[in-house]
Amino acid sequence: NSWNDERIGTSEIHGGDIVVVHSRFDELLNLELKKHGNFHNRYGIFNHDDLLGKNAGRRWITASGKVATGAGFVIVLRPTPELWTLSLSHRTQIVYTHDIAVITAEMDLRPGSIVVEAGTGSGSMTASLARAVAPTGRVVSFEIHEDRAKKATEDFEKLGISDYITVTHRNVGTEGFKGIPESSVDAVFLDLPAVWDVAAEAERILRVDGVLATFSPCVEQVQQTYEELSKLNFSEIETSTVGFRTWDTKKRSKDYSQSETEQERKRKRVSEGRGNQAGERSGIPDKDDIVKKCDVELVSRPYREIMTHTSYLTFARRLENKPKPSDAKVQSEGGDKPG
Ligand code: SAM
């Protein structure tokens, strides 16, 4: 299981392992390491052999040791569910970590929980669900698209988390969750267009107090889901969205930015006879200025726009079965009988 602490850290890397290559905080990819393999990016060529037998969490330097552009090295990390979400191959839209965190908490998942998911998609959510329920629980995931189901299964095997996940190729809209006994699962997560088609099946397999969570991009889908859930045995139906924004934080010199404009600074340097052509062209302050005058402060700005598509998260809790009219009749008949 590569989701446990021992392998997430700095354990030794072997051929066949999946690693996450971190080039920049917003540029991650995953890679299966092979003897004599290599990997190219804008910095140059990296040899897999340079990593085998070494520990993860290290810098990986280009084969030539030369820097083509930029830093000339990347960081090699063991996958975690969060790093997997940022580095996996997108075969579909995926659920990102900020939504996954809310969904997993609301579903009250814990080691040993049984959770049913549809559809598997690119497996971003599935991988996080697996960590939440391991080592004794299970994720039972369904996907209508055969190739996606196959690729997700292969990914989970390579990641070493397949003991906790079963992916089945199935249209749950027509076949439902057949084979899963009534009231047997702790949570159901639905990320597919027609959630309402599967709601009755979710009700059937959820235990009392189990939670259904759905992820839908359009409010019209939420309304239709809500209507369906209201007819079924669910309570506490709630919808929310998670706002998420990445901030780009940079160091800048405090005095320089606050007390003098660029133009004022240039004029002053020239009038003092310390004009530095290169500095003036690039707008870089003299080294002395930095050393003598500048305190460093951190400045944050929103980094691009929101990087995920927004979706609505709807949660509902499975109620006890309402007594059927026939049960009530039997009871009252029984109650009427003397002695
Ligand atoms: N939650 C996934 C993730 O984080 O990677 C992404 C799921 S993707 C948005 C929706 C998936 O549901 C698609 O792969 C699609 O093929 C699948 N799907 C749609 N309708 C389905 C159905 N009736 N039964 C099973 N899977 C279905």
Side-chain angles (χ1 to χ4, degrees):
N1 160 27
S2 70
W3 275 183
N4 71 24
D5 289 343
E6 178 218 330
R7 282 176 52 110
I8 284 173
T10 55
S11 59
E12 204 172 281
I13 302 170
H14 302 284
D17 283 358
I18 301 260
V19 291
V20 173
V21 176
H22 177 293
S23 307
R24 262 182 14 181
F25 80 95
D26 59 347
E27 204 179 302
L28 293 91
L29 56 86
N30 71 73
L31 199 63
E32 185 178 350
L33 294 177
K34 296 188 180 84
K35 205 164 169 43
H36 307 316
N38 54 47
F39 155 70
H40 301 233
N41 75 0
R42 64 179 183 282
Y43 302 147
I45 302 173
F46 296 77
N47 286 337
H48 291 196
D49 290 359
D50 292 345
L51 290 181
L52 304 181
K54 308 248 173 67
N55 290 346
R58 66 189 309 111
R59 283 182 176 193
W60 191 13
I61 295 171
T62 52
S64 62
K66 283 188 195 143
V67 178
T69 56
F73 68 85
V74 292
I75 308 282
V76 180
L77 301 163
R78 282 275 178 214
T80 61
E82 291 77 15
L83 290 173
W84 184 247
T85 288
L86 291 175
S87 66
L88 55 73
S89 315
H90 284 229
R91 299 181 278 268
T92 60
Q93 294 267 37
I94 65 165
V95 186
Y96 285 90
T97 297
H98 54 276
D99 283 320
I100 295 175
V102 174
I103 296 164
T104 316
E106 288 284 338
M107 292 201 297
D108 204 15
L109 295 181
R110 56 193 71 195
S113 297
I114 307 291
V115 55
V116 169
E117 176 192 41
T120 318
S122 307
S124 166
M125 186 73 196
T126 324
S128 282
L129 291 175
R131 179 179 61 185
V133 304
T136 44
R138 191 132 197 120
V139 186
V140 182
S141 190
F142 295 95
E143 171 56 54
I144 194 171
H145 193 290
E146 190 167 9
D147 196 50
R148 280 181 205 153
K150 190 167 153 265
K151 289 213 165 78
T153 306
E154 286 166 7
D155 282 350
F156 302 144
E157 274 162 14
K158 283 189 207 154
L159 286 167
I161 55 172
S162 54
D163 282 357
Y164 314 119
I165 304 168
T166 320
V167 181
T168 305
H169 167 224
R170 177 186 295 184
N171 178 353
V172 294
T174 55
E175 294 184 68
F177 297 125
K178 74 172 185 220
I180 301 181
E182 234 172 75
S183 311
S184 63
V185 312
D186 299 296
V188 174
F189 174 66
L190 301 176
D191 178 7
L192 37 75
V195 162
W196 45 91
D197 283 347
V198 197
E201 269 292 271
E203 182 208 47
R204 182 183 69 78
I205 62 171
L206 273 170
R207 64 166 168 78
V208 170
D209 262 351
V211 175
L212 167 67
T214 72
F215 185 86
S216 303
C218 307
V219 80
E220 289 77 10
Q221 289 171 306
V222 175
Q223 283 164 337
Q224 207 160 336
T225 303
Y226 193 94
E227 270 173 34
E228 189 62 27
L229 295 181
S230 310
K231 289 183 217 154
L232 297 167
N233 231 353
F234 285 103
S235 68
E236 301 172 33
I237 309 171
E238 279 181 11
T239 298
S240 52
T241 57
V242 182
F244 176 77
R245 173 169 269 189
T246 303
W247 290 78
D248 186 18
T249 302
K250 288 201 168 109
K251 282 182 188 169
R252 77 170 183 195
S253 52
K254 209 171 173 183
D255 288 355
Y256 168 57
S257 62
Q258 286 181 350
S259 58
E260 290 177 279
T261 66
E262 177 71 1
Q263 286 298 328
E264 283 168 347
R265 221 173 41 76
K266 273 188 195 168
R267 264 202 305 276
K268 207 160 124 191
R269 273 217 310 268
V270 172
S271 73
E272 286 171 5
R274 357 178 239 123
N276 162 342
Q277 269 202 338
E280 273 162 30
R281 267 204 311 275
S282 63
I284 300 167
D286 288 348
K287 199 169 160 230
D288 283 355
D289 282 356
I290 301 173
V291 175
K292 285 183 197 154
K293 290 180 27 186
C294 299
D295 287 337
V296 168
E297 66 180 350
L298 295 177
V299 185
S300 293
R301 293 193 181 85
Y303 181 76
R304 295 191 195 148
E305 268 317 292
I306 293 172
M307 280 167 72
T308 69
H309 68 298
T310 52
S311 267
Y312 298 100
L313 314 180
T314 301
F315 301 98
R317 192 172 291 279
R318 172 75 159 83
L319 279 172
E320 298 242 13
N321 280 331
K322 289 174 196 151
K324 294 182 196 131
S326 55
D327 294 344
K329 199 167 158 239
V330 170
Q331 258 194 9
S332 80
E333 276 169 4
D336 284 350
K337 278 191 187 148

